[in-house]
Amino acid sequence: MNKVQLNPVGWMSQLSQVEVSKLQDTTNSQLFEVFKNCCLAVLNSGVDEDNFELLFAPYQDFDIRLVRRERGVKIELINPPEVAFVDGKLVRGVHEHIFAVLRDILFMGNKYAFVHQSAPTQGNAVTDMVFDMLRHAQALEGNDELNTIVCWGGHSIQLHEYKYTKEVGYQLGLREMNICTGCGPGAMKGPMKGAAIGHAKQRFQRGRYIGISEPSIIAAEPPNAIVNELIIMPDIEKRLEAFVRLAHGIVIFPGGVGTAEELLYLLGILMNERNAQQPFPVVLTGPAESKAYFQAIDDFILATLGKEAQDKYQIIIDDPVEVARTLRAGLEKVENFRKVTGDAYSFNWSLRIDEAFQTPFEPTHETMAALPLHFDQPANEMAMVLRQAFSGIVAGNVKAQGIKQIKTHGPFRLTGDKTLMTHIDTLLTSFVAQQRMKLPGTKYVPCYTINPAEN
């Protein structure tokens, strides 16, 4: 049996005895099992696999323990994956990420009762919790420079698209902008890698590569090697809120249904009339070969949400320099708005997010079938419903619970207005044809069916 003990690093190296006791109290809880799985995912960083069963299968004898010490707590790894070690020593970045998991899943999870009904559910309480988690992760320190660009995009993208994400990241890095992504491979890794080179050329010493994940997705998208700040939010809704409140601008690269989910969430918020004056630079971009992808997305947004939604973003094709310049100009408007309103530079408090966008959506066959997929609702509510539908497909594709449900009960059924279902089917079919649902080379079996409602 191979055992490795890790000394605490970062904020977790300064715990009181009461805090250590509370951590140890979690070792027999459901929360600890989540912690263990997240740690195993982090230890597999760099492994090219998005199926949690295949990822975890070789490590049935892996375990993790908390070892109490007077100064705090150590972590003991039992039979950890060899890929996390170099010449017998755990990679430093992986070491740091393990304690980030401890902080976010056990310490903050215990504080906010993630797995219990007492977890915050009301709007202000949820936002306060998101703020508190980002503050404990020290993500807000340095974020007042108004230079954090969130980059969304798929983990399953083509090589030319990946190279393009690196070039955009490079141009952002040359302009001393920092990168925040979903922390995984593909379009989440490329911008960080490019920005690191841009930062090095400018001798920019405050380069930040923030990865924000969630327990149900981290196994499919383990943190890439560039991430130097890992944050794990308890669910997709709080993950998305953390993105938009931390961001000063957003770039969206080619992706699949998860990227569409993120865009719909953002548009649903920005179309709220209370956010009408909120400057929020959003750029959709990719290489020339990806033009059809963005045309499909743009057509879908126009057909489902209307021209108002289209006006919330710009599409820039095959021009990384223009992307960076557009964002830099947008940041000036953000700065002016924050000054006038007195809002913080480090956390966007003034952005209005309705509780419906904060309430966790649990995709099951019942909830997916019950989604109100019709046009008889405001555009921002339509965006929320479409986001939930796509979130369920993400769950069926890569999340453990979703995959289990599909195996047991078959595909999710989406039923709604005939015209709307045609638009959804057209978009999803294009994702499948372009191999954007799973890693290239993996045969995709849809986890959903499209069913026009009977008149």
Side-chain angles (χ1 to χ4, degrees):
M1 182 180 293
N2 181 23
K3 295 183 180 181
V4 179
Q5 284 198 356
L6 308 179
N7 289 317
V9 294
W11 180 79
M12 294 305 295
S13 63
Q14 301 175 15
L15 298 180
S16 70
Q17 291 297 301
V18 171
E19 290 169 332
V20 172
S21 295
K22 287 183 178 180
L23 283 176
Q24 286 200 304
D25 288 343
T26 67
T27 54
N28 294 315
S29 69
Q30 181 182 346
L31 199 62
F32 195 83
E33 191 65 24
V34 175
F35 165 69
K36 175 183 172 181
N37 288 338
C38 287
C39 286
L40 184 53
V42 165
L43 288 163
N44 274 285
S45 177
V47 175
D48 195 18
E49 179 58 68
D50 65 353
N51 185 312
F52 83 100
E53 291 181 329
L54 296 178
L55 185 70
F56 288 170
Y59 308 111
Q60 298 299 316
D61 59 352
F62 170 76
D63 204 355
I64 191 166
R65 295 172 187 165
L66 301 187
V67 181
R68 183 166 187 159
R69 292 290 185 264
E70 284 302 316
R71 294 176 295 167
V73 64
K74 287 186 174 183
I75 290 177
E76 184 175 71
L77 304 176
I78 301 171
N79 298 321
E82 292 183 7
V83 69
F85 294 80
V86 175
D87 296 335
K89 292 185 178 181
L90 187 67
V91 173
R92 177 69 181 180
V94 174
H95 188 151
E96 293 175 356
H97 290 168
I98 290 290
F99 278 92
V101 176
L102 177 65
R103 176 198 68 219
D104 293 337
I105 300 299
L106 290 191
F107 185 87
M108 300 304 290
N110 188 48
K111 180 177 180 178
Y112 286 104
F114 287 168
V115 296
H116 301 295
Q117 294 300 316
S118 56
T121 56
Q122 295 184 334
N124 290 339
V126 171
T127 298
D128 286 346
M129 191 200 76
V130 171
F131 171 81
D132 193 32
M133 291 192 68
L134 293 175
R135 180 174 58 182
H136 272 85
Q138 300 178 318
L140 302 180
E141 297 180 12
N143 205 46
D144 54 0
E145 295 185 25
L146 285 165
N147 64 349
T148 298
I149 304 301
V150 165
C151 297
W152 286 336
H155 73 293
S156 176
I157 59 174
Q158 302 299 319
L159 180 60
H160 61 273
E161 293 174 332
Y162 174 71
K163 289 180 177 179
Y164 183 83
T165 69
K166 285 202 298 184
E167 182 60 30
V168 171
Y170 173 66
Q171 294 298 331
L172 294 173
L174 287 177
R175 291 160 178 82
E176 300 185 353
M177 287 183 257
N178 287 321
I179 306 296
C180 176
T181 77
C183 92
M188 291 167 275
K189 178 182 178 181
M192 291 184 170
K193 203 164 186 179
I197 298 172
H199 290 160
K201 279 195 170 184
Q202 292 287 24
R203 303 298 187 265
F204 183 64
Q205 302 298 317
R206 301 182 303 282
R208 304 180 71 198
Y209 315 102
I210 306 166
I212 303 180
S213 191
E214 55 160 316
S216 61
I217 201 73
I218 195 169
E221 298 174 357
N224 67 68
I226 314 298
V227 173
N228 62 5
E229 298 180 46
L230 176 65
I231 305 165
I232 303 176
M233 305 303 291
D235 52 55
I236 181 61
E237 287 77 14
K238 296 174 186 64
R239 182 192 190 193
L240 290 170
E241 181 164 353
F243 276 131
V244 299
R245 294 203 186 274
L246 199 65
H248 302 120
I250 291 182
V251 177
I252 300 177
F253 294 107
V257 67
T259 304
E261 175 190 3
E262 292 163 337
L263 175 60
L264 289 164
Y265 173 89
L266 179 61
L267 293 177
I269 291 171
L270 295 182
M271 285 190 295
N272 186 321
E273 60 182 15
R274 294 178 298 175
N275 293 323
Q277 304 304 314
Q278 179 93 219
F280 206 112
V282 180
V283 175
L284 279 61
T285 190
E289 298 92 331
S290 303
K291 186 175 181 179
Y293 166 83
F294 289 106
Q295 187 63 57
I297 289 283
D298 197 41
D299 290 345
F300 178 78
I301 295 301
L302 178 62
T304 57
L305 305 182
K307 183 67 166 58
E308 179 190 354
Q310 274 188 321
D311 292 340
K312 300 298 181 182
Y313 58 82
Q314 293 178 252
I315 297 178
I316 300 175
I317 300 298
D318 206 28
D319 196 341
V321 172
E322 183 61 23
V323 171
R325 287 174 175 168
T326 298
L327 284 163
R328 174 53 67 190
L331 295 186
E332 294 177 6
K333 296 179 181 178
V334 172
E335 181 177 9
N336 291 334
F337 181 80
R338 303 274 179 103
K339 282 181 178 178
V340 170
T341 59
D343 199 0
Y345 286 180
S346 59
F347 188 85
N348 192 342
W349 288 103
S350 62
L351 191 69
R352 305 299 181 184
I353 302 179
D354 290 338
E355 284 188 22
F357 285 84
Q358 297 176 312
T359 303
F361 174 71
E362 297 293 338
T364 65
H365 285 75
E366 292 74 20
T367 58
M368 290 287 280
L371 287 172
L373 293 165
H374 56 75
F375 287 103
D376 189 21
Q377 56 189 318
N380 64 320
E381 293 182 16
M382 168 77 87
M384 180 190 70
V385 173
L386 290 172
R387 198 285 295 178
Q388 291 172 334
F390 286 11
S391 186
I393 296 173
V394 172
N397 283 347
V398 299
K399 295 184 179 181
Q401 189 59 33
I403 291 173
K404 289 177 182 177
Q405 289 187 73
I406 301 302
K407 282 187 175 181
T408 303
H409 303 293
F412 291 132
R413 286 178 58 85
L414 292 174
T415 304
D417 176 270
K418 182 177 180 180
T419 302
L420 178 58
M421 300 311 291
T422 299
H423 291 312
I424 293 174
D425 190 34
T426 299
L427 184 65
L428 294 177
T429 299
S430 72
F431 290 164
V432 174
Q434 296 170 34
Q435 292 190 308
R436 298 190 185 279
M437 291 295 201
K438 298 284 285 183
L439 289 173
T442 304
K443 183 180 179 180
Y444 179 67
V445 178
C447 66
Y448 61 89
T449 59
I450 303 295
N451 306 279
E454 298 180 3
N455 294 327

